[in-house]
Amino acid sequence: MRTSRKALALVAVLALAGCGNSNDPGAATGDQKSDKSPLAEYMGEGFVSSGGGGMRMAVRAGGGAGSSEEELAKQRKVEDGTAACMKAAGFEYVPVPPESQPKSKFNDAFNLPPDKFAEQYGYGISTIDWSKAGADDDSNPNTKIRNALSPTAQKAYDKALNGPNATANGAIVIAPKEGEGPKNSGKMDLGCRGKAAEEVYGKGEDREAEFKKYDSLFKDIQALAKRIEDDQRVVDATTAWADCLAESGQAGYKKIDEPREKVNQKLNELTGNQQNGNSPGKTVMGPPSFDKVDAAKLAELRKFEIDLAVADQKCRAKVYDEPYKTVQYEQEKEFVEQHKAELEAYRDGMANR
């Protein structure tokens, strides 16, 4: 079952609106706590150089500190639009001002130094149930409204709020076979939240078209990432990191992102989730739920993740991080000088979303 780019663009609009769970397990280990690199100054807060030849831009959802008044006003409009739509569907929904959105219950964890985070949470992949990240938020009046409904009414409420393919935590589930969970109608319906977000931020396909004009810049950034990865100093540091991991009992990893990817793979196998539609199983756009996961196997995976992450963090700090950052900053500084006009256009364009 393929998920269209249009559908994914619409999900991105919801992220911009501050709806759903915005946490990125892959970035939970403190990657973003360091000072901004030359390129990050233009690409925004969500820009991360992974240290493994990969760079990603994450849209950080939610309101409160760090959001402009203009952005907060847009998020308020989304909340008001959601409430009006839910009322028309026969449900009560109270608009929640973005300023009053509570901090994640994992906020203290995110502020831990990378080594301390690894000791407690590994990479934050299997050790944190992201689908429950806001489930115990008693300050949200809509949580109380939903909890007061019957199980049948809760399902109807969830469908009206997040669409027919959504679970209670807002994840979008697409099942490839008849009878295996929510059906895919061919059109991504994200319910009242999706409709309200489209009214404020524009349709998903429009957002996708907006980003397409930066395709050339993104390709150049990908090439930059490859140049950093192929720099002999980074190659040597990666070899030293792999040797360090092997000496600590974690052999078999050759690329810097492979340990994290291994944990992700094991979690997907455990939950039955797939990262794409190329193989049997359900595709989940959003955090997987651990509700039906074998507790003993999950505990085993969490131990595996923490042991691996601790060794990974120690070896990165010992032999990898410093040479990688040196090369990264050198290459990015040169890149910024050569692409300053395009980068300024991107920064200004994103600021005027």
Side-chain angles (χ1 to χ4, degrees):
M1 180 68 66
R2 291 181 302 166
T3 303
S4 70
R5 293 177 68 186
K6 173 182 176 182
L8 293 176
L10 183 55
V11 174
V13 170
L14 279 176
L16 286 169
C19 302
N21 191 312
S22 65
N23 295 309
D24 173 14
T29 57
D31 292 17
Q32 298 169 359
K33 294 176 187 171
S34 61
D35 55 315
K36 284 187 177 181
S37 71
L39 192 53
E41 293 290 341
Y42 293 89
M43 303 309 294
E45 180 187 1
F47 179 81
V48 178
S49 177
S50 71
M55 295 182 177
R56 62 179 180 264
M57 285 162 287
V59 178
R60 190 175 298 275
S67 297
S68 68
E69 182 53 42
E70 182 181 1
E71 176 58 30
L72 292 174
K74 289 181 179 180
Q75 293 178 25
R76 293 186 201 104
K77 286 183 178 180
V78 172
E79 283 292 298
D80 291 340
T82 301
C85 177
M86 289 293 283
K87 182 178 181 180
F91 294 101
E92 181 183 5
Y93 182 91
V94 178
V96 180
E99 307 93 314
S100 67
Q101 293 283 359
K103 292 182 179 179
S104 167
K105 63 182 180 181
F106 302 116
N107 191 65
D108 290 341
F110 299 151
N111 290 323
L112 290 172
D115 57 337
K116 298 300 181 183
F117 187 97
E119 291 173 5
Q120 295 186 43
Y121 299 99
Y123 299 108
I125 298 174
S126 70
T127 56
I128 296 175
D129 189 347
W130 295 97
S131 71
K132 298 291 193 303
D136 58 355
D137 176 22
D138 294 333
S139 66
N140 189 325
N142 298 302
T143 301
K144 298 176 182 178
I145 291 171
R146 183 185 180 278
N147 289 344
L149 300 174
S150 68
T152 300
Q154 285 182 357
K155 290 182 180 180
Y157 180 96
D158 295 338
K159 180 179 179 180
L161 182 60
N162 295 314
N165 289 339
T167 62
N169 60 60
I172 309 301
V173 180
I174 301 173
K177 295 181 181 180
E178 283 295 325
E180 294 188 6
K183 297 180 181 179
N184 176 23
S185 63
K187 178 183 178 182
M188 183 62 70
D189 178 4
L190 296 181
C192 286
R193 275 183 171 160
K195 292 176 184 177
E198 279 196 343
E199 289 174 359
V200 175
Y201 291 95
K203 294 184 178 180
E205 57 267 34
D206 294 337
R207 307 291 306 180
E208 182 183 0
E210 181 182 346
F211 274 95
K212 278 189 69 66
K213 66 185 180 183
Y214 302 113
D215 276 354
S216 177
L217 176 61
F218 295 157
K219 288 178 182 178
D220 288 340
I221 291 175
Q222 288 178 330
L224 167 65
K226 187 68 167 60
R227 289 197 299 274
I228 294 173
E229 181 183 14
D230 291 343
D231 187 285
Q232 191 59 48
R233 290 167 291 178
V234 173
V235 172
D236 292 343
T238 303
T239 300
W241 163 84
D243 291 342
C244 176
L245 267 186
E247 290 172 3
S248 66
Q250 302 287 352
Y253 300 100
K254 301 300 182 183
K255 295 183 178 181
I256 202 75
D257 285 336
E258 284 181 352
R260 188 194 302 273
E261 291 169 357
K262 184 68 174 180
V263 177
N264 265 317
Q265 177 188 346
K266 285 180 171 289
L267 180 62
N268 287 331
E269 292 172 354
L270 191 60
T271 60
N273 296 333
Q274 301 293 333
Q275 294 299 305
N276 54 57
N278 296 327
S279 55
K282 60 184 179 180
T283 298
V284 177
M285 294 156 55
S289 172
F290 298 161
D291 288 347
K292 298 182 180 180
V293 172
D294 183 287
K297 291 182 178 179
L298 181 59
E300 182 180 344
L301 174 56
R302 285 173 169 169
K303 183 181 185 307
F304 170 83
E305 176 179 346
I306 290 174
D307 290 346
L308 178 56
V310 167
D312 184 10
Q313 177 59 39
K314 287 180 178 178
C315 289
R316 282 176 181 250
K318 183 178 180 180
V319 299
Y320 181 85
D321 287 345
E322 184 175 345
Y324 177 85
K325 184 175 181 179
T326 298
V327 175
Q328 176 198 2
Y329 276 51
E330 286 179 5
Q331 294 277 6
E332 287 191 10
K333 182 179 179 181
E334 181 180 342
F335 183 89
V336 168
E337 292 173 352
Q338 295 174 350
H339 297 80
K340 195 172 184 65
E342 302 104 296
L343 289 167
E344 288 178 345
Y346 174 83
R347 180 193 61 195
D348 296 344
M350 293 301 99
N352 294 325
R353 284 194 307 247

